[in-house]
Amino acid sequence: MKAYLTRRYLFSASHRLHSPEFSDSENRAVYGKCNNPHGHGHNYTLEVTVAGQVDAKTGMICDLVQLDTFVHQEVLERFGHEHLNALPPFADAVPTTENLSVELFRILSRFPQATLEKIRLEETMLNSFEYAGGAELKI
Amino acid sequence: MVYLTRKAEFSASHFYHNPEFTPEENRRLFGKCNNPNGHGHNYTLEVTVKGEVDPRSGFVVDLKQLKQVLEREVLSLLDHRFLNKEVPEFATAIPTTENLAISIWQKLQPKLEVARLHRVRLYETPDLFVDFYGEP
Ligand SMILES: [Zn+2]
């Protein structure tokens, strides 16, 4: 039977929202405080949802130790305590949480043991983003 | 169609072990959950049902009935139980969050009369939950 498992992880990173497409005053108008040249940080909460058949022998969709290890190596160690603007994926893209969600989905979809269904990224307690690789959410 | 979610909490203990695996495999795969003395969780269960709003009552489902079914078919069987030893399906199946969510669906689904079951979401901890939609 097909089930969906969601695991939550935390990481902190800083960013500055600034687009070369806009003038300085447009950048301030569009991004507000997030345009501050010194950047600022967030404690992101990442929810990773994988889908798959529940294995009869283990009772699990996938090996949780392998999932944790993968997320630690590919996401938490690469993005945690970094300035997102300085990382390769954001050389040309503004590190909004939208763009970060798309990037994290792309990375996590390479997890070999289960299918990535979606990710959810909380930027603050008041803002969260979900991305399912372009698919509609299941509610 | 309106979706309604009812939350409930229960506490239960379990351990994960498959006799077909070596002790090393069991420990590697199941980690701390392999300890045969078991350990407990405070589970949070979210049951989502869906249906059309009844024009007379304005309800999708009579919440009183839903609560009773949930109590009788699920909570009374799982709350404060050692899942491996007291819940028949877990004499053989491993009481993982996945299997527990499926088992809750199977207990509830045939007993719901008015609304249809849409989703069972089971939190084992705030950092780990499983969704089951009755998909094969
Ligand atoms: Zn456990």
Side-chain angles (χ1 to χ4, degrees):
Chain A
M1 270 171 281
K2 186 181 184 186
Y4 301 79
L5 177 125
T6 301
R7 190 99 165 113
R8 271 165 81 92
Y9 304 91
L10 299 173
F11 66 96
S12 309
S14 64
H15 67 177
R16 180 199 182 200
L17 303 186
H18 181 91
S19 170
E21 308 280 321
F22 300 143
S23 70
D24 283 354
S25 62
E26 282 174 322
N27 266 301
R28 273 194 300 275
V30 172
Y31 297 124
K33 285 187 204 164
C34 291
N35 186 237
N36 178 333
H38 300 293
H40 60 280
H42 292 289
N43 295 321
Y44 293 95
T45 300
L46 169 65
E47 286 185 6
V48 178
T49 302
V50 293
Q53 290 293 319
V54 178
D55 184 285
K57 287 205 173 106
T58 63
M60 296 177 182
I61 294 171
C62 68
D63 184 331
L64 213 51
V65 179
Q66 284 175 353
L67 178 64
D68 284 350
T69 307
F70 189 86
V71 176
H72 275 269
Q73 278 172 2
E74 301 297 324
V75 176
L76 308 184
E77 282 168 24
R78 282 166 62 187
F79 294 85
H81 288 85
E82 293 288 342
H83 185 55
L84 299 178
N85 302 63
L87 299 179
F90 301 110
D92 303 309
V94 185
T96 57
T97 308
E98 289 89 330
N99 281 337
L100 183 57
S101 300
V102 173
E103 177 62 16
L104 295 184
F105 187 93
R106 197 184 61 77
I107 294 170
L108 291 167
S109 62
R110 292 198 296 257
F111 177 61
Q113 275 83 21
T115 307
L116 182 64
E117 176 73 15
K118 72 157 193 191
I119 66 151
R120 180 168 174 275
L121 199 52
E122 280 176 29
E123 183 189 62
T124 65
M125 260 167 55
L126 302 178
N127 294 334
S128 68
F129 302 76
E130 288 172 277
Y131 185 63
E136 293 277 336
L137 295 182
K138 234 181 138 66
I139 94 140
Chain B
M1 185 91 81
V2 174
Y3 296 76
L4 179 151
T5 300
R6 173 80 193 172
K7 216 185 245 207
E9 290 183 329
F10 64 93
S11 306
S13 56
H14 67 181
F15 69 102
Y16 296 167
H17 182 81
N18 184 334
E20 292 173 33
F21 298 155
T22 65
E24 294 72 36
E25 277 178 308
N26 270 298
R27 267 198 303 277
R28 194 202 62 76
L29 185 63
F30 298 130
K32 287 185 197 162
C33 290
N34 185 229
N35 181 333
N37 294 322
H39 60 278
H41 293 285
N42 296 321
Y43 291 94
T44 300
L45 171 63
E46 288 181 12
V47 173
T48 302
V49 299
K50 61 184 171 189
E52 299 300 335
V53 179
D54 182 296
R56 284 170 309 156
S57 67
F59 287 161
V60 164
V61 61
D62 181 342
L63 211 49
K64 208 158 56 272
Q65 270 174 22
L66 180 62
K67 267 165 67 180
Q68 281 167 1
V69 173
L70 200 54
E71 178 59 42
R72 190 178 65 232
E73 304 296 332
V74 176
L75 303 176
S76 67
L77 305 176
L78 301 178
D79 191 28
H80 288 79
R81 303 284 178 174
F82 193 162
L83 300 176
N84 303 64
K85 299 192 176 161
E86 294 182 272
V87 179
E89 58 267 38
F90 298 122
T92 47
I94 300 171
T96 56
T97 319
E98 287 93 327
N99 279 339
L100 197 50
I102 292 171
S103 154
I104 291 170
W105 175 285
Q106 287 167 344
K107 292 181 201 308
L108 272 180
Q109 197 269 334
K111 305 289 177 183
L112 288 177
E113 282 152 22
V114 188
R116 271 184 301 141
L117 190 54
H118 174 67
R119 182 181 75 192
V120 166
R121 171 172 285 185
L122 184 64
Y123 285 86
E124 186 188 81
T125 67
D127 294 332
L128 178 75
F129 63 87
V130 166
D131 290 323
F132 185 62
Y133 296 85
E135 290 170 286

